[in-house]
Amino acid sequence: MNKRWWWVIGSAVAVVLAVVLAGPWVYANFIHGDQPDALGLSDDAAPADASAEIDGTWTVGPGSKAGYEVWETLQGQRVFVRGQTEKVSGTATVESEKLTEGTVEVAVATIATDDGRRDFQFSNSVMNAGKFPKATFTITKPVDLSTVPADGTITTIPITGELTLKGETRPVTTDFDIRRSAAGIEAAGAIDVTWTDYKIDKPTMFANIIVEDAGQIQFSIILSK
C-alpha cells in the first residue's frame, strides 16, 4: 500500500476519532439548548396593602409556573434540563392566618423543554399523560402565615404535603419561599424527587445519555383572591 493510501486511511481514522471524542462537547454546547431559570420568586414585587385581609379563599392565578429539573451526562459532559409550563391551577384556604387547605395541579402534557422529541417522550412514554394528565401537590398540615409581613419580605417556611406523579402519591416536606405582594400571596419551592419512588422510568431519547436517578419538581405560584 503506497503512502498516499496510508495518508487517506490515517485521515479518516482521525476524523472518526474527532467525532467520537467531540460528540459529548457538541451535545452539551450545541444540541443542548439554553435552559430557563429555575423557578422562584420574581426579583421585584410591589408590597401588599398592609390592611389587606389574608384570610379567605385564594386561587392559583396568572404567572404561576411549575416544572421539573433533571441532569443528563454524556461521557463526562453533565448538563441540566428544565421543563416548565404555565398550565397550573388550584385553590387555597387561609383561616386565622393559617393555610389550612391548598392544592396545586399541573397539566403534565403541556410541560415543555428546548427539544420537542424529549417532550414527546416525557409526555407519552415516561409520564403517560393520557392516563395521568395531572401532577398534584396538596398540603396535609396547616401552614402558619402570620410571620409573612405585607411589605414584600420573603419568609422561608417548611410545608408538608403529598406529591402525586403518574398516579403515585408520596408524603413530602420542603421549604417554600413565601411573600405577600400586590398580586396576592406568592410562593416558590422545589421538591427533591427520586423517580423510581413514583414508578417513573428514566427517558432514553438519545443513546449513551444517562439521566440521573433524582431531580426536582419546581413551583412558582401566585395566589389571588
Side-chain angles (χ1 to χ4, degrees):
M1 185 177 295
N2 60 38
K3 292 182 179 181
R4 180 173 179 273
W5 281 108
W6 279 117
W7 181 86
V8 171
I9 294 172
S11 298
V13 171
V15 169
V16 171
L17 287 174
V19 170
V20 171
L21 294 175
W25 182 86
V26 170
Y27 170 75
N29 291 277
F30 293 99
I31 297 176
H32 179 268
D34 291 336
Q35 301 300 308
D37 292 337
L39 294 178
L41 298 181
S42 59
D43 293 334
D44 55 348
D49 180 352
S51 63
E53 180 66 49
I54 193 172
D55 288 354
T57 300
W58 298 78
T59 301
V60 175
S64 299
K65 295 182 180 181
Y68 69 87
E69 176 183 291
V70 297
W71 286 83
E72 301 175 341
T73 303
L74 173 60
Q75 296 180 13
Q77 291 286 337
R78 187 171 182 262
V79 296
F80 66 83
V81 172
R82 292 189 181 120
Q84 298 176 357
T85 180
E86 294 184 359
K87 296 297 183 180
V88 184
S89 59
T91 59
T93 301
V94 180
E95 298 176 345
S96 300
E97 297 189 309
K98 289 186 177 180
L99 178 64
T100 57
E101 297 179 9
T103 298
V104 176
E105 295 186 338
V106 181
V108 174
T110 65
I111 298 174
T113 67
D114 61 304
D115 193 306
R117 295 167 297 173
R118 179 190 291 113
D119 300 340
F120 180 83
Q121 187 179 79
F122 172 81
S123 179
N124 294 277
S125 302
V126 176
M127 296 300 293
N128 192 3
K131 184 176 181 180
F132 306 105
K134 299 287 187 180
T136 64
F137 176 69
T138 302
I139 70 164
T140 56
K141 182 179 179 180
V143 181
D144 186 3
L145 300 180
S146 63
T147 60
V148 183
D151 63 2
T153 300
I154 297 173
T155 305
T156 301
I157 300 176
I159 294 181
T160 297
E162 291 181 335
L163 178 66
T164 300
L165 303 174
K166 204 176 179 180
E168 297 291 326
T169 301
R170 300 287 183 270
V172 296
T173 298
T174 191
D175 288 339
F176 270 69
D177 291 334
I178 300 176
R179 73 177 171 204
R180 294 177 62 186
S181 71
I185 301 174
E186 301 181 21
I191 300 172
D192 293 329
V193 173
T194 299
W195 306 120
T196 54
D197 288 348
Y198 296 85
K199 299 182 180 180
I200 295 174
D201 296 327
K202 295 186 296 184
T204 56
M205 184 181 70
F206 297 112
N208 301 322
I209 293 181
I210 300 172
V211 177
E212 296 186 5
D213 295 332
Q216 284 188 337
I217 304 299
Q218 301 177 346
F219 296 94
S220 179
I221 305 299
I222 299 176
L223 294 171
S224 58
K225 282 188 177 179

